[in-house]
Amino acid sequence: MARTLKQYFRAVLVKLGLFDEGAFRLVINRIYPDDTFIVSYPKSGNTWMRFLLANLLHPDQEINFRNIDHFVPDVYSARKQVNKLQRPRFIKAHDAWFHYFPKTIYIVRDYRDVLVSYYHYQQALGVFTGTLEEYIAHVNTHHPFGNWSEHVHAALAFQEKNPEKIIIVRYEDLLNDTVQVLQQLSAWLKITPAVSLEDVAARCRFEELRKLEENAGSAFMDKTQGEHFFREGKAGGWSKLFKPHMLKKLYEDAGVQAMLAHFNYTHPGEGFIFKTPQPK
């Protein structure tokens, strides 16, 4: 992104220690000590988490894809909303800049499902036009936020040193027991819910969010001639699409193997043995 005059001025202030480097890199006015960032590798459940938190914190509001940025804004596409938002703020991000964030909710999802979801997402946008096999063959060239295993490992490493600043949530646990995960998050954030967590989970079921997108539309639908942002939302769908040689290509990355093993993402495929990551 091209720098504006304001950003050039802020760059000077950062060097002088007069402007927050994290805010500068995110191109927002400032980061407050009570900010919470919702971070994930793309297509790992970040938008779903935004809806859950928005409905938890604002149960009296009708929240949809057109107004979600008024409650939990995207730091890349809704910077004006980030700057206007009343504190305490909850902000979506993808960059693994945990040392800048006062608190982080980090969502991790099985990389193989991430790849399938990201593939369809980039196809719908016209960013990628090949097959899933071709996508996987050049996987690390398609993602602006870097390598998945490095992204996830950065969250783990930060949590080891700063357990009070980051909570890691598995997408699959959120899918299997949304209410329990909401209970954990409420306790960690020291929030006393003003609404039933069961109601929040019900309002944010995948089917309900699909209906919201159909009724109110979304920026993604605008760009893709009606494609849904929420495609399937299931866990394990990769197993029906990945062929053994595609998995073999994926598992050549020792970091991918280590992170899949760490989060107990099993069923890697016959003949593949995951290595347990060693502490660093």
Side-chain angles (χ1 to χ4, degrees):
M1 183 179 68
R3 285 188 181 181
T4 63
L5 185 60
K6 180 188 284 188
Q7 277 294 93
Y8 275 113
F9 178 66
R10 285 180 171 178
V12 173
L13 294 180
V14 167
K15 289 182 179 180
L16 294 173
L18 300 174
F19 190 81
D20 179 62
E21 185 177 359
F24 169 74
R25 294 187 71 179
L26 291 169
V27 199
I28 56 177
N29 288 345
R30 66 173 298 178
I31 294 175
Y32 293 103
D34 53 356
D35 283 344
T36 299
F37 284 80
I38 306 162
V39 181
S40 74
Y41 198 75
K43 306 308 294 178
S44 298
N46 199 313
T47 297
W48 184 21
M49 180 63 76
R50 291 169 73 199
F51 272 93
L52 286 165
L53 288 172
N55 279 277
L56 175 65
L57 298 167
H58 307 279
D60 56 333
Q61 300 290 327
E62 291 188 11
I63 299 164
N64 57 47
F65 286 84
R66 297 295 188 190
N67 67 9
I68 184 66
D69 281 320
H70 293 279
F71 304 98
V72 185
D74 184 321
V75 77
Y76 311 110
S77 62
R79 290 187 173 97
K80 289 183 179 178
Q81 292 299 332
V82 172
N83 292 330
K84 286 194 232 177
L85 200 64
Q86 290 187 347
R87 299 169 58 186
R89 305 184 304 181
F90 289 80
I91 304 165
K92 171 193 170 179
H94 286 307
D95 285 293
W97 296 339
F98 307 113
H99 55 291
Y100 293 136
F101 306 149
K103 276 201 167 185
T104 301
I105 297 169
Y106 186 82
I107 310 150
V108 61
R109 184 183 187 187
D110 188 324
Y111 185 38
R112 295 157 295 191
D113 280 327
V114 168
L115 283 174
V116 173
S117 183
Y118 213 168
Y119 165 71
H120 285 287
Y121 174 81
Q122 293 195 316
Q123 266 211 326
L125 290 172
V127 175
F128 185 82
T129 56
T131 65
L132 177 61
E133 184 171 346
E134 291 168 336
Y135 188 77
I136 292 167
H138 304 283
V139 65
N140 288 326
T141 65
H142 306 308
H143 310 303
F145 297 98
N147 178 286
W148 174 84
S149 61
E150 292 174 359
H151 200 281
V152 175
H153 184 269
L156 284 172
F158 186 80
Q159 186 187 51
E160 185 176 356
K161 295 180 180 179
N162 307 274
E164 75 287 354
K165 287 191 170 187
I166 182 170
I167 184 170
I168 298 178
V169 176
R170 286 197 341 154
Y171 175 89
E172 295 74 18
D173 295 335
L174 193 59
L175 199 62
N176 291 334
D177 196 338
T178 309
V179 172
Q180 183 180 22
V181 173
L182 286 174
Q183 288 172 341
Q184 293 171 347
L185 287 175
S186 297
W188 188 73
L189 293 166
K190 298 180 181 178
I191 292 173
T192 302
V195 64
S196 160
L197 297 181
E198 286 78 9
D199 288 345
V200 173
R203 289 176 70 174
C204 296
R205 283 199 304 262
F206 186 82
E207 298 80 8
E208 295 302 316
L209 293 178
R210 287 266 300 191
K211 288 179 187 176
L212 278 179
E213 192 173 12
E214 287 173 2
N215 294 336
S218 67
F220 185 72
M221 293 184 81
D222 295 342
K223 296 175 184 175
T224 59
Q225 299 181 338
E227 293 283 344
H228 287 83
F229 182 84
F230 280 92
R231 195 179 60 86
E232 289 188 0
K234 297 177 182 178
W238 66 268
S239 61
K240 299 176 183 178
L241 300 170
F242 277 67
K243 298 173 184 177
H245 67 278
M246 293 162 67
L247 288 172
K248 183 178 180 181
K249 173 68 179 176
L250 201 64
Y251 301 153
E252 287 174 358
D253 186 330
V256 168
Q257 285 201 38
M259 290 300 99
L260 288 173
H262 182 90
F263 286 98
N264 198 29
Y265 291 133
T266 55
H267 310 296
E270 187 176 354
F272 298 106
I273 301 174
F274 279 11
K275 298 176 183 177
T276 303
Q278 298 300 312
K280 295 182 178 180

